[in-house]
Short mmCIF file of all heavy atoms in Angstrom, two decimals:
data_model
loop_
_atom_site.label_atom_id
_atom_site.label_comp_id
_atom_site.label_asym_id
_atom_site.label_seq_id
_atom_site.Cartn_x
_atom_site.Cartn_y
_atom_site.Cartn_z
N MET A 1 -4.36 -12.44 21.87
CA MET A 1 -4.04 -12.36 20.35
C MET A 1 -5.20 -11.88 19.64
O MET A 1 -6.29 -12.36 19.62
CB MET A 1 -3.62 -13.73 19.99
CG MET A 1 -3.34 -13.83 18.52
SD MET A 1 -1.89 -14.70 18.08
CE MET A 1 -1.77 -14.45 16.33
N SER A 2 -4.95 -10.83 18.82
CA SER A 2 -6.02 -10.28 18.07
C SER A 2 -6.23 -10.91 16.70
O SER A 2 -5.27 -11.07 16.02
CB SER A 2 -5.80 -8.77 17.82
OG SER A 2 -6.57 -8.09 16.91
N ASP A 3 -7.37 -11.18 16.31
CA ASP A 3 -7.68 -11.66 14.92
C ASP A 3 -8.24 -10.62 14.06
O ASP A 3 -8.66 -10.89 13.01
CB ASP A 3 -8.51 -12.96 15.00
CG ASP A 3 -9.93 -12.65 15.56
OD1 ASP A 3 -10.11 -11.50 16.00
OD2 ASP A 3 -10.70 -13.44 15.64
N THR A 4 -8.24 -9.36 14.52
CA THR A 4 -8.79 -8.31 13.79
C THR A 4 -7.68 -7.40 13.11
O THR A 4 -8.05 -6.43 12.50
CB THR A 4 -9.68 -7.44 14.69
OG1 THR A 4 -8.82 -6.95 15.71
CG2 THR A 4 -10.90 -8.24 15.30
N GLU A 5 -6.51 -7.81 13.32
CA GLU A 5 -5.47 -6.90 12.79
C GLU A 5 -5.53 -6.92 11.23
O GLU A 5 -5.49 -8.15 10.72
CB GLU A 5 -4.09 -7.46 13.27
CG GLU A 5 -3.01 -6.58 12.71
CD GLU A 5 -1.68 -6.80 13.40
OE1 GLU A 5 -1.41 -7.95 13.69
OE2 GLU A 5 -0.95 -5.80 13.55
N PRO A 6 -5.67 -5.81 10.56
CA PRO A 6 -5.78 -5.79 9.16
C PRO A 6 -4.39 -6.23 8.44
O PRO A 6 -3.37 -5.88 8.97
CB PRO A 6 -6.12 -4.34 8.87
CG PRO A 6 -5.83 -3.60 10.13
CD PRO A 6 -5.63 -4.50 11.25
N MET A 7 -4.60 -6.89 7.32
CA MET A 7 -3.40 -7.29 6.55
C MET A 7 -3.30 -6.24 5.46
O MET A 7 -4.32 -5.94 4.74
CB MET A 7 -3.68 -8.61 5.99
CG MET A 7 -3.72 -9.68 6.94
SD MET A 7 -2.24 -9.95 7.94
CE MET A 7 -1.24 -10.80 6.74
N ILE A 8 -2.22 -5.67 5.29
CA ILE A 8 -1.96 -4.57 4.38
C ILE A 8 -1.08 -5.10 3.14
O ILE A 8 -0.12 -5.43 3.40
CB ILE A 8 -1.25 -3.34 4.98
CG1 ILE A 8 -1.92 -2.96 6.34
CG2 ILE A 8 -1.08 -2.16 4.17
CD1 ILE A 8 -3.41 -2.55 6.17
N PRO A 9 -1.65 -4.70 2.00
CA PRO A 9 -0.82 -5.14 0.84
C PRO A 9 0.32 -4.17 0.57
O PRO A 9 0.00 -2.99 0.48
CB PRO A 9 -1.85 -5.17 -0.30
CG PRO A 9 -2.97 -4.32 0.08
CD PRO A 9 -2.88 -4.23 1.63
N ILE A 10 1.47 -4.79 0.40
CA ILE A 10 2.57 -4.01 -0.02
C ILE A 10 2.95 -4.21 -1.53
O ILE A 10 3.03 -5.51 -1.95
CB ILE A 10 3.90 -4.31 0.75
CG1 ILE A 10 3.74 -3.88 2.27
CG2 ILE A 10 5.15 -3.67 0.21
CD1 ILE A 10 4.81 -4.24 3.10
N VAL A 11 3.08 -3.27 -2.38
CA VAL A 11 3.41 -3.58 -3.79
C VAL A 11 4.77 -2.97 -4.08
O VAL A 11 5.08 -1.85 -3.60
CB VAL A 11 2.30 -2.82 -4.56
CG1 VAL A 11 2.76 -2.91 -6.05
CG2 VAL A 11 0.83 -3.38 -4.37
N CYS A 12 5.54 -3.77 -4.78
CA CYS A 12 6.85 -3.32 -5.35
C CYS A 12 6.83 -3.45 -6.83
O CYS A 12 6.94 -4.66 -7.21
CB CYS A 12 7.98 -4.00 -4.59
SG CYS A 12 9.59 -3.33 -5.10
N GLU A 13 6.67 -2.40 -7.55
CA GLU A 13 6.64 -2.46 -8.95
C GLU A 13 8.02 -3.02 -9.55
O GLU A 13 8.05 -3.72 -10.52
CB GLU A 13 6.30 -1.13 -9.52
CG GLU A 13 4.83 -0.86 -9.35
CD GLU A 13 4.47 0.53 -10.07
OE1 GLU A 13 5.30 1.04 -10.84
OE2 GLU A 13 3.36 1.02 -9.73
N THR A 14 9.01 -2.57 -8.91
CA THR A 14 10.29 -2.95 -9.41
C THR A 14 10.55 -4.42 -9.30
O THR A 14 11.05 -5.06 -10.32
CB THR A 14 11.43 -2.27 -8.64
OG1 THR A 14 11.24 -0.80 -8.83
CG2 THR A 14 12.77 -2.53 -9.15
N CYS A 15 10.19 -5.04 -8.22
CA CYS A 15 10.24 -6.47 -8.03
C CYS A 15 9.12 -7.25 -8.67
O CYS A 15 9.17 -8.39 -8.75
CB CYS A 15 10.37 -6.87 -6.53
SG CYS A 15 11.78 -6.19 -5.69
N GLY A 16 8.03 -6.54 -8.92
CA GLY A 16 6.77 -7.15 -9.38
C GLY A 16 6.15 -8.12 -8.38
O GLY A 16 5.53 -9.08 -8.75
N THR A 17 6.17 -7.69 -7.12
CA THR A 17 5.61 -8.42 -6.06
C THR A 17 4.52 -7.70 -5.27
O THR A 17 4.54 -6.50 -5.24
CB THR A 17 6.69 -8.83 -5.00
OG1 THR A 17 7.43 -7.72 -4.55
CG2 THR A 17 7.83 -9.79 -5.70
N GLU A 18 3.65 -8.47 -4.74
CA GLU A 18 2.65 -7.97 -3.71
C GLU A 18 2.60 -8.78 -2.55
O GLU A 18 2.43 -10.04 -2.73
CB GLU A 18 1.32 -7.82 -4.49
CG GLU A 18 0.23 -7.25 -3.48
CD GLU A 18 -1.10 -6.99 -4.05
OE1 GLU A 18 -1.09 -6.75 -5.27
OE2 GLU A 18 -2.11 -7.09 -3.37
N THR A 19 2.81 -8.20 -1.40
CA THR A 19 2.90 -9.07 -0.21
C THR A 19 1.94 -8.51 0.75
O THR A 19 1.78 -7.28 0.94
CB THR A 19 4.28 -9.04 0.38
OG1 THR A 19 5.27 -9.21 -0.68
CG2 THR A 19 4.51 -10.06 1.47
N ARG A 20 1.23 -9.34 1.57
CA ARG A 20 0.38 -8.86 2.57
C ARG A 20 1.06 -9.09 3.94
O ARG A 20 1.48 -10.20 4.23
CB ARG A 20 -1.00 -9.53 2.59
CG ARG A 20 -1.88 -9.13 1.43
CD ARG A 20 -3.24 -9.87 1.39
NE ARG A 20 -4.01 -9.20 0.33
CZ ARG A 20 -4.82 -8.19 0.56
NH1 ARG A 20 -4.96 -7.72 1.67
NH2 ARG A 20 -5.52 -7.76 -0.46
N VAL A 21 1.10 -7.97 4.69
CA VAL A 21 1.65 -8.09 5.99
C VAL A 21 0.77 -7.50 7.00
O VAL A 21 -0.04 -6.61 6.77
CB VAL A 21 3.03 -7.32 6.06
CG1 VAL A 21 4.11 -7.88 5.07
CG2 VAL A 21 2.87 -5.84 5.83
N PRO A 22 0.89 -7.93 8.39
CA PRO A 22 0.02 -7.33 9.36
C PRO A 22 0.38 -5.86 9.50
O PRO A 22 1.56 -5.51 9.35
CB PRO A 22 0.40 -8.10 10.61
CG PRO A 22 1.05 -9.36 10.14
CD PRO A 22 1.69 -9.01 8.84
N LEU A 23 -0.60 -5.08 9.91
CA LEU A 23 -0.37 -3.61 10.00
C LEU A 23 0.77 -3.34 10.97
O LEU A 23 1.53 -2.42 10.79
CB LEU A 23 -1.66 -3.01 10.51
CG LEU A 23 -1.57 -1.54 10.84
CD1 LEU A 23 -1.23 -0.77 9.55
CD2 LEU A 23 -2.96 -1.03 11.31
N SER A 24 0.84 -4.14 11.99
CA SER A 24 1.89 -3.79 13.10
C SER A 24 3.28 -4.05 12.56
O SER A 24 4.17 -3.53 13.19
CB SER A 24 1.63 -4.76 14.32
OG SER A 24 1.68 -6.09 13.92
N THR A 25 3.44 -4.77 11.47
CA THR A 25 4.80 -4.98 10.96
C THR A 25 4.98 -4.28 9.58
O THR A 25 6.02 -4.42 8.95
CB THR A 25 5.16 -6.49 10.83
OG1 THR A 25 4.32 -7.08 9.90
CG2 THR A 25 5.06 -7.22 12.12
N LEU A 26 4.01 -3.48 9.28
CA LEU A 26 4.08 -2.88 7.92
C LEU A 26 5.31 -1.97 7.69
O LEU A 26 6.00 -2.21 6.72
CB LEU A 26 2.71 -1.95 7.74
CG LEU A 26 2.64 -1.07 6.54
CD1 LEU A 26 2.58 -1.97 5.33
CD2 LEU A 26 1.45 -0.19 6.59
N GLU A 27 5.47 -1.13 8.66
CA GLU A 27 6.61 -0.23 8.45
C GLU A 27 8.04 -1.00 8.39
O GLU A 27 8.83 -0.75 7.57
CB GLU A 27 6.68 0.76 9.71
CG GLU A 27 6.07 2.01 9.42
CD GLU A 27 6.43 3.13 10.53
OE1 GLU A 27 7.47 3.69 10.32
OE2 GLU A 27 5.73 3.16 11.47
N GLU A 28 8.12 -2.03 9.35
CA GLU A 28 9.38 -2.79 9.36
C GLU A 28 9.52 -3.54 7.98
O GLU A 28 10.59 -3.67 7.49
CB GLU A 28 9.25 -3.73 10.56
CG GLU A 28 10.61 -4.53 10.79
CD GLU A 28 10.38 -5.54 11.84
OE1 GLU A 28 9.33 -5.59 12.43
OE2 GLU A 28 11.29 -6.32 12.06
N SER A 29 8.43 -4.16 7.56
CA SER A 29 8.59 -4.89 6.28
C SER A 29 8.88 -3.98 5.07
O SER A 29 9.72 -4.50 4.36
CB SER A 29 7.12 -5.57 6.05
OG SER A 29 6.80 -6.48 7.02
N LEU A 30 8.34 -2.89 5.08
CA LEU A 30 8.68 -1.92 4.02
C LEU A 30 10.21 -1.55 4.12
O LEU A 30 10.94 -1.58 3.15
CB LEU A 30 7.86 -0.64 4.06
CG LEU A 30 6.39 -0.65 3.46
CD1 LEU A 30 5.65 0.58 3.90
CD2 LEU A 30 6.47 -0.93 1.99
N ARG A 31 10.61 -1.22 5.29
CA ARG A 31 11.97 -0.82 5.45
C ARG A 31 12.90 -1.97 5.08
O ARG A 31 14.06 -1.66 4.56
CB ARG A 31 12.18 -0.39 6.85
CG ARG A 31 13.50 0.36 7.13
CD ARG A 31 13.50 1.08 8.51
NE ARG A 31 13.03 0.09 9.57
CZ ARG A 31 12.08 0.40 10.56
NH1 ARG A 31 11.57 1.56 10.45
NH2 ARG A 31 11.92 -0.48 11.41
N LYS A 32 12.67 -3.19 5.57
CA LYS A 32 13.48 -4.23 5.25
C LYS A 32 13.56 -4.58 3.78
O LYS A 32 14.66 -4.78 3.27
CB LYS A 32 13.00 -5.53 5.95
CG LYS A 32 13.48 -5.80 7.26
CD LYS A 32 12.94 -7.24 7.79
CE LYS A 32 13.23 -7.34 9.23
NZ LYS A 32 12.47 -8.53 9.80
N HIS A 33 12.48 -4.53 3.19
CA HIS A 33 12.50 -4.78 1.70
C HIS A 33 13.33 -3.71 1.04
O HIS A 33 14.19 -4.01 0.22
CB HIS A 33 11.01 -4.84 1.22
CG HIS A 33 11.00 -5.10 -0.25
ND1 HIS A 33 10.72 -6.28 -0.86
CD2 HIS A 33 11.17 -4.16 -1.38
CE1 HIS A 33 10.73 -6.24 -2.20
NE2 HIS A 33 11.14 -4.95 -2.51
N ASN A 34 13.03 -2.47 1.33
CA ASN A 34 13.63 -1.40 0.55
C ASN A 34 15.12 -1.34 0.83
O ASN A 34 16.00 -1.05 0.01
CB ASN A 34 13.06 -0.12 0.94
CG ASN A 34 11.64 0.05 0.25
OD1 ASN A 34 11.42 -0.46 -0.87
ND2 ASN A 34 10.78 0.74 0.81
N SER A 35 15.48 -1.70 2.09
CA SER A 35 16.93 -1.59 2.48
C SER A 35 17.70 -2.78 1.85
O SER A 35 18.84 -2.65 1.49
CB SER A 35 17.18 -1.47 3.94
OG SER A 35 16.85 -2.68 4.63
N SER A 36 17.00 -3.93 1.77
CA SER A 36 17.72 -5.18 1.38
C SER A 36 17.71 -5.24 -0.20
O SER A 36 18.62 -5.77 -0.76
CB SER A 36 17.20 -6.46 1.95
OG SER A 36 15.82 -6.73 1.48
N ARG A 37 16.62 -4.73 -0.79
CA ARG A 37 16.55 -4.79 -2.24
C ARG A 37 16.88 -3.62 -3.03
O ARG A 37 17.19 -3.62 -4.17
CB ARG A 37 15.11 -5.25 -2.58
CG ARG A 37 14.58 -6.47 -1.92
CD ARG A 37 15.16 -7.81 -2.58
NE ARG A 37 14.73 -9.01 -1.94
CZ ARG A 37 14.07 -9.80 -2.54
NH1 ARG A 37 13.82 -9.86 -3.81
NH2 ARG A 37 13.68 -10.96 -1.80
N HIS A 38 16.66 -2.53 -2.38
CA HIS A 38 16.76 -1.26 -3.17
C HIS A 38 17.71 -0.19 -2.45
O HIS A 38 17.44 0.91 -2.58
CB HIS A 38 15.32 -0.72 -3.31
CG HIS A 38 14.43 -1.57 -3.94
ND1 HIS A 38 14.55 -2.09 -5.20
CD2 HIS A 38 13.24 -2.31 -3.36
CE1 HIS A 38 13.58 -3.02 -5.47
NE2 HIS A 38 12.79 -3.13 -4.35
N ASP A 39 18.68 -0.66 -1.67
CA ASP A 39 19.62 0.28 -1.03
C ASP A 39 18.96 1.34 -0.31
O ASP A 39 19.39 2.58 -0.18
CB ASP A 39 20.49 0.93 -2.21
CG ASP A 39 21.45 -0.07 -2.72
OD1 ASP A 39 21.85 -1.01 -2.04
OD2 ASP A 39 21.90 0.11 -3.88
N GLY A 40 17.87 0.96 0.22
CA GLY A 40 17.15 2.00 1.22
C GLY A 40 16.18 2.95 0.59
O GLY A 40 15.50 3.78 1.12
N GLU A 41 16.09 2.85 -0.82
CA GLU A 41 15.15 3.67 -1.54
C GLU A 41 13.78 3.27 -1.28
O GLU A 41 13.41 2.15 -1.14
CB GLU A 41 15.39 3.73 -2.97
CG GLU A 41 16.58 4.59 -3.38
CD GLU A 41 16.67 4.66 -4.86
OE1 GLU A 41 15.72 5.13 -5.51
OE2 GLU A 41 17.60 4.33 -5.55
N ALA A 42 12.84 4.21 -1.22
CA ALA A 42 11.37 3.79 -0.83
C ALA A 42 10.77 3.36 -2.14
O ALA A 42 9.95 4.05 -2.75
CB ALA A 42 10.77 5.01 -0.25
N VAL A 43 11.10 2.23 -2.59
CA VAL A 43 10.50 1.60 -3.87
C VAL A 43 9.18 0.88 -3.56
O VAL A 43 8.17 1.17 -4.22
CB VAL A 43 11.46 0.67 -4.56
CG1 VAL A 43 10.82 0.12 -5.80
CG2 VAL A 43 12.80 1.51 -4.83
N ALA A 44 9.18 -0.02 -2.64
CA ALA A 44 8.03 -0.73 -2.22
C ALA A 44 7.11 0.17 -1.32
O ALA A 44 7.63 0.94 -0.63
CB ALA A 44 8.37 -1.96 -1.40
N GLU A 45 5.89 0.10 -1.66
CA GLU A 45 4.86 1.01 -0.89
C GLU A 45 3.56 0.23 -0.64
O GLU A 45 3.36 -0.74 -1.21
CB GLU A 45 4.58 2.27 -1.78
CG GLU A 45 5.63 3.10 -2.08
CD GLU A 45 5.28 4.30 -2.93
OE1 GLU A 45 4.41 4.09 -3.86
OE2 GLU A 45 5.80 5.36 -2.69
N VAL A 46 2.79 0.81 0.19
CA VAL A 46 1.49 0.35 0.43
C VAL A 46 0.74 0.46 -0.83
O VAL A 46 0.82 1.46 -1.47
CB VAL A 46 0.79 1.07 1.61
CG1 VAL A 46 -0.70 0.61 1.74
CG2 VAL A 46 1.52 0.99 2.84
N ALA A 47 -0.07 -0.59 -1.24
CA ALA A 47 -0.85 -0.59 -2.40
C ALA A 47 -1.64 0.71 -2.53
O ALA A 47 -2.35 0.99 -1.55
CB ALA A 47 -1.75 -1.82 -2.60
N PRO A 48 -1.70 1.31 -3.57
CA PRO A 48 -2.40 2.68 -3.67
C PRO A 48 -3.81 2.64 -3.42
O PRO A 48 -4.43 3.51 -2.76
CB PRO A 48 -2.17 3.12 -5.18
CG PRO A 48 -0.97 2.30 -5.64
CD PRO A 48 -0.93 1.06 -4.83
N GLU A 49 -4.43 1.42 -3.76
CA GLU A 49 -5.96 1.38 -3.53
C GLU A 49 -6.33 1.23 -2.06
O GLU A 49 -7.41 1.43 -1.69
CB GLU A 49 -6.52 0.17 -4.38
CG GLU A 49 -6.04 -1.17 -3.88
CD GLU A 49 -4.82 -1.75 -4.60
OE1 GLU A 49 -4.09 -0.83 -5.26
OE2 GLU A 49 -4.63 -2.93 -4.75
N VAL A 50 -5.29 0.93 -1.24
CA VAL A 50 -5.64 0.87 0.16
C VAL A 50 -4.99 1.96 1.07
O VAL A 50 -5.16 2.09 2.23
CB VAL A 50 -5.30 -0.49 0.77
CG1 VAL A 50 -5.99 -1.54 0.15
CG2 VAL A 50 -3.84 -0.74 0.84
N ALA A 51 -4.07 2.62 0.39
CA ALA A 51 -3.30 3.75 1.00
C ALA A 51 -4.23 4.77 1.70
O ALA A 51 -3.98 5.17 2.90
CB ALA A 51 -2.29 4.32 0.05
N ASP A 52 -5.19 5.20 0.97
CA ASP A 52 -6.10 6.25 1.45
C ASP A 52 -6.91 5.61 2.57
O ASP A 52 -7.08 6.27 3.59
CB ASP A 52 -7.08 6.68 0.36
CG ASP A 52 -6.44 7.56 -0.59
OD1 ASP A 52 -5.25 8.00 -0.34
OD2 ASP A 52 -7.01 7.91 -1.65
N GLU A 53 -7.34 4.42 2.39
CA GLU A 53 -8.17 3.79 3.50
C GLU A 53 -7.24 3.58 4.69
O GLU A 53 -7.72 3.79 5.86
CB GLU A 53 -8.66 2.39 2.94
CG GLU A 53 -9.71 1.82 3.73
CD GLU A 53 -10.05 0.35 3.20
OE1 GLU A 53 -9.88 0.26 1.96
OE2 GLU A 53 -10.55 -0.41 3.90
N LEU A 54 -6.10 3.16 4.51
CA LEU A 54 -5.18 2.91 5.63
C LEU A 54 -4.88 4.17 6.34
O LEU A 54 -4.83 4.36 7.60
CB LEU A 54 -3.88 2.38 5.10
CG LEU A 54 -2.73 2.22 6.15
CD1 LEU A 54 -3.22 1.07 7.21
CD2 LEU A 54 -1.53 1.73 5.48
N ALA A 55 -4.72 5.29 5.62
CA ALA A 55 -4.44 6.58 6.21
C ALA A 55 -5.56 7.02 7.11
O ALA A 55 -5.30 7.49 8.26
CB ALA A 55 -4.14 7.67 5.07
N SER A 56 -6.78 6.90 6.61
CA SER A 56 -7.94 7.28 7.48
C SER A 56 -8.13 6.35 8.65
O SER A 56 -8.48 6.75 9.74
CB SER A 56 -9.17 7.46 6.73
OG SER A 56 -9.57 6.26 6.17
N MET A 57 -7.87 5.01 8.42
CA MET A 57 -7.96 4.08 9.47
C MET A 57 -6.93 4.39 10.57
O MET A 57 -7.34 4.33 11.79
CB MET A 57 -7.64 2.72 8.91
CG MET A 57 -7.94 1.48 9.83
SD MET A 57 -8.00 -0.06 8.96
CE MET A 57 -6.20 -0.17 8.35
N VAL A 58 -5.77 4.61 10.22
CA VAL A 58 -4.65 4.90 11.21
C VAL A 58 -5.05 6.16 11.84
O VAL A 58 -4.90 6.36 13.13
CB VAL A 58 -3.29 5.06 10.55
CG1 VAL A 58 -2.28 5.51 11.53
CG2 VAL A 58 -2.89 3.58 10.11
N ALA A 59 -5.48 7.20 11.18
CA ALA A 59 -5.84 8.46 11.76
C ALA A 59 -6.99 8.30 12.68
O ALA A 59 -6.91 8.92 13.79
CB ALA A 59 -6.32 9.38 10.64
N GLU A 60 -7.91 7.48 12.40
CA GLU A 60 -8.98 7.17 13.42
C GLU A 60 -8.41 6.48 14.55
O GLU A 60 -8.77 6.88 15.75
CB GLU A 60 -10.04 6.23 12.71
CG GLU A 60 -11.18 6.85 12.21
CD GLU A 60 -12.16 5.81 11.48
OE1 GLU A 60 -12.51 4.86 12.14
OE2 GLU A 60 -12.54 6.10 10.32
N ASP A 61 -7.60 5.51 14.37
CA ASP A 61 -6.95 4.89 15.52
C ASP A 61 -6.19 5.81 16.42
O ASP A 61 -6.30 5.60 17.65
CB ASP A 61 -5.76 3.96 14.86
CG ASP A 61 -6.05 2.43 15.24
OD1 ASP A 61 -7.16 2.07 15.46
OD2 ASP A 61 -5.06 1.74 15.39
N LEU A 62 -5.55 6.86 15.91
CA LEU A 62 -4.76 7.68 16.69
C LEU A 62 -5.72 8.92 17.20
O LEU A 62 -5.26 9.75 17.95
CB LEU A 62 -3.66 8.34 15.86
CG LEU A 62 -2.67 7.31 15.37
CD1 LEU A 62 -1.59 7.98 14.48
CD2 LEU A 62 -1.97 6.60 16.58
N GLY A 63 -6.91 8.92 16.68
CA GLY A 63 -7.88 9.94 17.15
C GLY A 63 -7.65 11.16 16.47
O GLY A 63 -8.04 12.27 16.91
N LEU A 64 -6.94 11.16 15.31
CA LEU A 64 -6.70 12.37 14.57
C LEU A 64 -7.93 12.97 13.94
O LEU A 64 -7.82 14.19 13.40
CB LEU A 64 -5.59 12.12 13.58
CG LEU A 64 -4.19 11.65 14.10
CD1 LEU A 64 -3.23 11.42 13.02
CD2 LEU A 64 -3.68 12.69 15.12
N LEU A 65 -8.83 12.18 13.79
CA LEU A 65 -10.04 12.68 13.07
C LEU A 65 -11.04 13.45 14.08
O LEU A 65 -11.98 14.14 13.63
CB LEU A 65 -10.82 11.54 12.34
CG LEU A 65 -10.08 10.86 11.21
CD1 LEU A 65 -10.92 9.81 10.56
CD2 LEU A 65 -9.47 11.95 10.21
N ASP A 66 -10.73 13.20 15.34
CA ASP A 66 -11.51 13.92 16.36
C ASP A 66 -11.21 15.36 16.28
O ASP A 66 -10.06 15.73 16.15
CB ASP A 66 -11.29 13.32 17.74
CG ASP A 66 -11.91 11.85 17.79
OD1 ASP A 66 -12.79 11.57 16.97
OD2 ASP A 66 -11.43 11.17 18.76
N GLU A 67 -12.18 16.18 16.66
CA GLU A 67 -11.90 17.57 16.84
C GLU A 67 -11.23 17.87 18.08
O GLU A 67 -11.53 17.34 19.08
CB GLU A 67 -13.24 18.41 16.65
CG GLU A 67 -13.68 18.52 15.21
CD GLU A 67 -12.72 19.44 14.31
OE1 GLU A 67 -11.69 19.82 14.80
OE2 GLU A 67 -13.11 19.75 13.28
ZN1 ZN B 101 11.21 -4.38 -4.42
#
């Protein structure tokens, strides 16, 4: 069991909520929220302040930053 899994903040402006979820369930959480609350529209998103960081983190994870 890993204790290093990053917790990613999800922000939904429409609901006025911010929720932290483990990276591994991020996509599922977003999809569930948006499908149950917003008819599948992509309203809830990863908090903008971490979106860039997350993108590079995931890219590193996948080795996308390697030449
Ligand atoms: Zn919402």
Side-chain angles (χ1 to χ4, degrees):
M1 173 132 187
S2 169
D3 60 357
T4 60
E5 183 167 35
M7 298 295 285
I8 309 299
I10 291 175
V11 175
C12 186
E13 286 185 13
T14 302
C15 296
T17 57
E18 178 172 333
T19 315
R20 285 179 178 269
V21 301
L23 179 58
S24 59
T25 63
L26 175 62
E27 267 193 85
E28 189 186 354
S29 298
L30 279 174
R31 193 169 48 228
K32 269 188 192 165
H33 179 99
N34 286 329
S35 70
S36 65
R37 305 285 180 119
H38 306 297
D39 287 333
E41 282 188 57
V43 179
E45 293 179 325
V46 174
E49 67 265 26
V50 302
D52 285 351
E53 195 181 333
L54 177 65
S56 63
M57 190 167 64
V58 170
E60 262 176 47
D61 238 31
L62 299 176
L64 295 180
L65 296 183
D66 290 341
E67 281 292 7

